[in-house]
Amino acid sequence: MIDVNDVNGRILYEDDDHKFIWLGVDDVDSSDEIQTMQYLIIDHNRGVLLDPGGVHIFAHVVSAVSRYISLDNIDVIFYSHQDPDVSSGIAMWLGITKAQIHISSLWVRFLPHFGIVDSKRIVPIPDDGSTIKISENAELQCIPAHFMHSPGNFNLYDPKSKILFSGDIGAAVFDEGKEYVFVEDFAQHVPLIEGFHKRYMASNSIVKKWCERVRAINPKIIAPQHGALYAGESITEFLNWLSNLKCGVDLM
Ligand code: FE
């Protein structure tokens, strides 16, 4: 069960001019839909929003963001991939912010199908990744994570907080009322992540390469878009588990 204090989220990292914030959970009954988690990075009072999600959670995310920063100060919206739970709110977000949208170049031409989209505000991320400069001395890294699960898929790494936003990678599906914020017992967490990763991730060769890349980055927290966050020992356990997982075409 998510603590009532966490409905408003948690600041995962904070220094004088930089914050990485988990925006909490929507308190509406969500048993029929995929639960999503949104994050906000603030640097020198400028904001970057990560996978802000679809239409039905728009109001929740707007009010969560507004607790920390003015919407006028959101400069960047990052989309890990094209799924509706990630990006279907795009027309609304373009309407209430001045932000530029960063998303894989593969999906740029699909975005107008979610509503009226000004293509001048879309920044395509090339296949081998990019960096997003957010202030004089802070930049974010778009890390390629293709075929996990989307063929045009990126993670976002924030070197200041050492937090890796992993999109769908590491995602868990909880039973109603059984949610928790951080993975405490990885063995108990496996049944909540196994089905999704086996079905959605392309193959063991793909996930293995991603695990090697993440080990080299050595993040302090892995923050997925669904489920629970990984820190410390649970990162090692998750990477060991995932790099040995047979999935996707291995099983078909
Ligand atoms: Fe997805």
Side-chain angles (χ1 to χ4, degrees):
M1 191 79 165
I2 298 286
D3 190 277
V4 65
N5 296 320
D6 282 329
V7 171
N8 291 340
R10 275 190 205 186
I11 297 175
L12 301 173
Y13 172 88
E14 181 170 27
D15 65 27
D16 286 347
D17 19 65
H18 194 85
K19 289 191 186 81
F20 196 117
I21 301 158
W22 167 62
L23 290 174
V25 287
D26 197 351
D27 55 2
V28 298
D29 174 23
S30 55
S31 50
D32 291 338
E33 73 203 37
I34 286 287
Q35 260 202 328
T36 61
M37 301 205 288
Q38 289 72 40
Y39 302 90
L40 171 67
I41 298 170
I42 299 176
D43 192 276
H44 291 87
N45 206 30
R46 309 305 304 181
V48 178
L49 202 47
L50 314 185
D51 282 3
V55 173
H56 67 293
I57 59 157
F58 180 74
H60 162 72
V61 181
V62 167
S63 79
V65 168
S66 303
R67 277 194 289 271
Y68 298 100
I69 193 169
S70 158
L71 293 171
D72 288 339
N73 288 19
I74 305 285
D75 293 333
V76 171
I77 296 175
F78 170 82
Y79 286 133
S80 60
H81 63 298
Q82 84 292 2
D83 271 348
D85 59 319
V86 170
S87 56
S88 66
I90 182 170
M92 297 164 88
W93 283 107
L94 284 174
I96 61 157
T97 69
K98 302 184 190 83
Q100 290 198 311
I101 306 280
H102 291 247
I103 188 168
S104 161
S105 57
L106 222 57
W107 304 122
V108 169
R109 287 184 297 163
F110 290 77
L111 292 176
H113 291 276
F114 285 139
I116 297 163
V117 169
D118 175 3
S119 62
K120 289 193 287 297
R121 291 172 64 189
I122 310 291
V123 182
I125 308 171
D127 266 351
D128 56 357
S130 63
T131 55
I132 305 173
K133 199 168 168 58
I134 50 171
S135 73
E136 209 38 60
N137 51 11
E139 58 182 25
L140 305 171
Q141 301 166 0
C142 300
I143 309 285
H146 307 308
F147 297 103
M148 297 184 65
H149 62 90
S150 168
N153 192 53
F154 287 94
N155 296 165
L156 193 75
Y157 182 60
D158 173 18
K160 275 214 170 155
S161 63
K162 300 195 188 311
I163 297 173
L164 179 72
F165 171 65
S166 62
D168 280 348
I169 305 167
V173 181
F174 290 114
D175 289 334
E176 182 87 23
K178 299 271 174 64
E179 302 88 353
Y180 43 82
V181 180
F182 277 91
V183 177
E184 305 288 351
D185 182 334
F186 184 72
Q188 278 192 21
H189 195 61
V190 168
L192 310 181
I193 60 176
E194 194 166 34
F196 171 74
H197 289 79
K198 278 185 167 172
R199 181 65 177 88
Y200 279 72
M201 300 301 160
S203 71
N204 178 258
S205 62
I206 293 285
V207 298
K208 237 188 183 73
K209 284 205 182 80
W210 181 85
C211 290
E212 280 165 24
R213 180 170 266 158
V214 174
R215 284 189 186 107
I217 294 170
N218 196 20
K220 283 210 166 112
I221 293 177
I222 295 179
Q225 197 225 348
H226 316 273
L229 292 86
Y230 304 80
E233 184 61 17
S234 72
I235 292 182
T236 311
E237 291 173 308
F238 172 60
L239 294 175
N240 290 345
W241 173 82
L242 185 60
S243 59
N244 288 306
L245 188 73
K246 296 267 180 280
C247 53
V249 294
D250 305 325
L251 304 173
M252 290 275 160

